[in-house]
Amino acid sequence: MPADRHPGRAWKQGPALAVVPAPRTERPVRIGYARTSTARQELAGQLEALHRAECHKVFKEQISTRIKVRPELEAALALARQFKEAAPETPVIFTVHELKRLARNAAELMTLSAELQGAGIQLELLTGPLTGIYDPNGMGAMFFAVLAVAGQIERNYIREKTLDGQVTAAAKGNHGGRPKVIDDDMLTFAVALKNKGVPVPEVAKKLVIKTGKNAGKNPSVASVYRALAEAEQAAAADDGLPLRPKPVRIRRPGDALTPEEIDLRERLQAQPHPNAETRS
């Protein structure tokens, strides 16, 4: 008998063994969401990918990106929250085919990120360069922040390209917008009538719109006044004349002088008096 067994003594129970819990092997719950902007676009590709991902339930809708409230998206998020509340230890994953199906812009994406983070729900992207599962409570929070910055940079780039395109089109004479109610032929006729002394309201009655939804109708008197004023300004610019006279500012006692008025006063004070030599 080994000495450490203390032979001849009464038996005593030793310390209890530590119980190590077995690792949880619960399968995650996946809630899928598919969306297209118009009815002409197909949902089949997204639905097939979501079913291959073994989503427990898939929500789908065909709705324009201009519509802010998306009922099926709200229903999918609500079901994901219910699963997480019922089984907090079970991973709940919100799965979409690609990122653009979730939000219209970076602001909506950040709002969705905060909602997922508050509920402890993960986000899974099935396609694209960011394919993977992102936990908003871990490194996934950085993922959403980077997406927001990237979305803002993309919008600024699109805006700059749009402005550049507008400047290029304007240089070619294409200013965009709605077509003019009064075309060049109508304007020439209106100017001739006005030069003959015909009142502008009567001029408007003699003009007929040729195209657009108001085709066959007379233009409004305001449109004729505006077109005649623009033609007058254009003619003055061609002659090298100022388009409009500068308005005169009436100065009241106690009003502060403008920088131009202060400069004029100093230059006048610096000039010698015309009778200075006679007086001396």
Side-chain angles (χ1 to χ4, degrees):
M1 182 74 65
D4 59 352
R5 298 294 297 274
H6 306 290
R9 294 186 182 182
W11 175 84
K12 293 182 180 179
Q13 184 177 0
L17 298 177
V19 178
V20 179
R24 304 182 69 92
T25 59
E26 297 168 337
R27 293 180 56 190
V29 175
R30 280 183 167 85
I31 305 299
Y33 174 72
R35 181 189 63 82
T36 60
S37 300
T38 62
R40 291 178 297 178
Q41 297 175 335
E42 294 292 338
L43 279 168
Q46 297 182 49
L47 295 177
E48 183 180 356
L50 292 173
H51 286 304
R52 286 200 306 266
E54 300 182 352
C55 293
H56 290 71
K57 185 175 180 58
V58 175
F59 294 80
K60 61 181 179 179
E61 59 187 343
Q62 292 177 318
I63 190 170
S64 173
T65 55
R66 294 188 297 269
I67 299 178
K68 186 175 182 179
V69 178
R70 302 173 188 174
E72 293 299 312
L73 175 60
E74 296 297 330
L77 293 173
L79 182 60
R81 288 193 297 268
Q82 292 175 8
F83 271 113
K84 194 63 180 178
E85 292 173 359
E89 301 299 328
T90 301
V92 178
I93 304 175
F94 191 75
T95 305
V96 293
H97 187 253
E98 51 189 339
L99 188 64
K100 67 180 182 180
R101 304 302 172 188
L102 280 179
R104 300 176 301 172
N105 50 46
E108 288 188 358
L109 184 60
M110 292 303 294
T111 302
L112 178 62
S113 169
E115 186 172 354
L116 294 176
Q117 184 173 7
I121 301 172
Q122 302 177 26
L123 174 64
E124 181 178 22
L125 305 178
L126 298 180
T127 61
L130 300 174
T131 300
I133 300 177
Y134 298 89
D135 187 346
N137 294 317
M139 294 300 295
M142 181 66 70
F143 162 77
F144 286 105
V146 171
L147 286 180
V149 174
Q152 185 64 45
I153 293 175
E154 181 180 3
R155 285 197 304 277
N156 292 340
Y157 173 76
I158 293 175
R159 180 175 179 274
E160 291 176 0
K161 296 298 290 183
T162 302
L163 294 177
D164 292 342
Q166 291 175 352
V167 172
T168 303
K172 296 179 180 179
N174 181 12
H175 297 280
R178 295 179 297 178
K180 292 183 178 180
V181 173
I182 301 177
D183 57 20
D184 294 339
D185 294 338
M186 295 170 62
L187 181 59
T188 302
F189 184 47
V191 172
L193 292 176
K194 181 175 180 295
N195 292 338
K196 291 181 180 180
V198 179
V200 175
E202 296 298 326
V203 173
K205 294 179 181 180
K206 297 180 181 295
L207 301 177
V208 178
I209 301 173
K210 299 178 181 178
T211 59
K213 64 179 182 180
N214 294 323
K217 299 180 181 179
N218 304 116
S220 65
V221 177
S223 298
V224 178
Y225 270 116
R226 185 164 52 250
L228 291 173
E230 292 175 356
E232 183 179 353
Q233 291 183 18
D238 293 339
D239 295 337
L241 301 176
L243 298 180
R244 292 180 181 270
K246 290 186 178 181
V248 178
R249 186 176 76 94
I250 301 177
R251 183 175 176 275
R252 296 179 176 83
D255 290 351
L257 296 177
T258 64
E260 293 79 8
E261 292 172 343
I262 295 175
D263 179 69
L264 177 60
R265 183 184 62 180
E266 292 176 353
R267 285 190 287 110
L268 291 176
Q269 291 176 350
Q271 292 179 358
H273 195 277
N275 297 328
E277 297 180 358
T278 305
R279 290 179 178 178
S280 62

